Amino acid sequence: MTSSYTLVFDLDGTLVDTAPDLITALNYVLDREGLPPVPMASARNMIGAGARKLIERGLEAEGRTVSVADMDRMTADFIAYYADNIAVESRPFEGLEAALDHFAAQGHRLAVCTNKLEWLSKRLLDQLDMSRRFAAICGADTFGVQKPDPTIFRETVARAGGDVKASIMVGDAGTDVGVARRAGVPVIGVSFGYTDVPIAELKPDRLIHHMRDLPAAALSLMKG
C-alpha cells in the first residue's frame, strides 16, 4: 500500500467536459454584441484561462478589440449567463468517477485547483453531485493568484490536509504543467482537454488518453 497522496485536479477539460456550456455562454455574449458565434470545434482550445480571456479570444477570432469598460460588462454578462446554465451539457469525462472511487478507496485525498472562479467551480461540481468527493475546491479568486503561480497549488494541498511532497497534479494545459513544475511535483497530462499547445509537447511526467488509465499512471509516480 502506497502512503496517502493528494491528487490535485484541474477542472475544465480535465475533470469535466465543460466546453459546450462555456461556448454557449461565449456565443450568448458575442450575439449581444452583434457578432457571429464561434464554432464549437475551434473554440474548445480557447478555454482554460478564465472567462475574460475566453471572451478576448472570441473577439480576436473576429478581429475585434473592445475597451476595458466594455470587456468588464461583457465578462459580467458572461458569468451571469454561465452561472445560470453551468451544467446543461457539461459532464464528467468517461471513466472519471471510477478513477476517483479508486483513489478514495486507497485513502488518497482529492482536490480541485482551477483558474475558474471558486463559486462557479463549486456550483458546477454541486450540480454534477461531485463536490463531496473533494477535500478542497480552490479557484482563481481563492488565494488571489492563478496557475501557474505555485502558491495556488501549495495552498490547495494545504486546505485539503495534504503534503505537497506527496502530491500529484492532473491537468490538460500549460498552466497545469507550469504550476506542477514550479511547485516541484509530478504532473499527469490528459490529452482530451482544452489547450492551444498539445499537452504532449509540454512533456508531462505521464500522459493519458482516457481516465481509465489515471490510476495506473498515478501509481507509477507514487512508486517512482
Side-chain angles (χ1 to χ4, degrees):
M1 167 76 187
T2 309
S3 60
S4 176
Y5 265 70
T6 305
L7 287 110
V8 181
F9 293 86
D10 173 54
L11 180 49
D12 298 284
T14 300
L15 287 173
V16 182
D17 186 8
T18 52
D21 293 326
L22 284 165
I23 303 311
T24 297
L26 171 63
N27 285 333
Y28 165 81
V29 171
L30 293 178
D31 181 64
R32 292 188 66 170
E33 300 301 309
L35 295 170
V38 177
M40 184 69 69
S42 58
R44 287 177 74 87
N45 291 339
M46 297 180 184
I47 297 167
R52 197 179 187 92
K53 180 58 75 172
L54 177 60
I55 296 166
E56 283 177 9
R57 289 169 174 170
L59 291 169
E60 282 169 11
E62 290 301 320
R64 290 280 293 269
T65 55
V66 297
S67 68
V68 172
D70 281 341
M71 180 58 73
D72 290 344
R73 173 180 53 77
M74 292 168 71
T75 302
D77 286 349
F78 175 96
I79 290 172
Y81 180 90
Y82 180 61
D84 288 341
N85 299 275
I86 201 164
V88 177
E89 294 182 70
S90 297
R91 296 293 179 267
F93 283 103
E94 185 182 348
L96 172 69
E97 308 237 26
L100 298 183
D101 286 342
H102 168 86
F103 293 126
Q106 296 289 318
H108 300 305
R109 290 181 180 83
L110 304 173
V112 175
C113 179
T114 174
N115 282 349
K116 204 184 197 76
L117 294 170
E118 181 186 314
W119 71 273
L120 284 174
S121 304
K122 288 181 172 175
R123 176 176 288 202
L124 172 62
L125 293 169
D126 281 348
Q127 291 195 19
L128 296 175
D129 191 29
M130 289 176 64
S131 293
R132 58 192 168 79
R133 293 177 171 276
F134 300 101
I137 299 170
C138 302
D141 51 336
T142 308
F143 309 111
V145 292
Q146 297 189 24
K147 296 179 291 184
D149 187 315
T151 303
I152 189 173
F153 182 89
R154 295 188 191 111
E155 293 294 335
T156 298
V157 173
R159 184 170 288 193
D163 180 352
V164 170
K165 291 191 288 292
S167 63
I168 297 170
M169 182 70 204
V170 184
D172 67 325
T175 49
D176 303 309
V177 175
V179 78
R181 295 285 179 250
R182 293 178 191 191
V185 303
V187 56
I188 298 171
V190 303
S191 67
F192 43 77
Y194 319 136
T195 173
D196 48 354
V197 179
I199 190 77
E201 293 181 15
L202 302 175
K203 307 260 188 302
D205 298 288
R206 299 289 184 275
L207 179 63
I208 63 169
H209 306 294
H210 192 285
M211 275 296 176
R212 75 169 78 90
D213 302 321
L214 182 59
L219 182 60
S220 71
L221 290 172
M222 293 172 191
K223 286 181 171 175

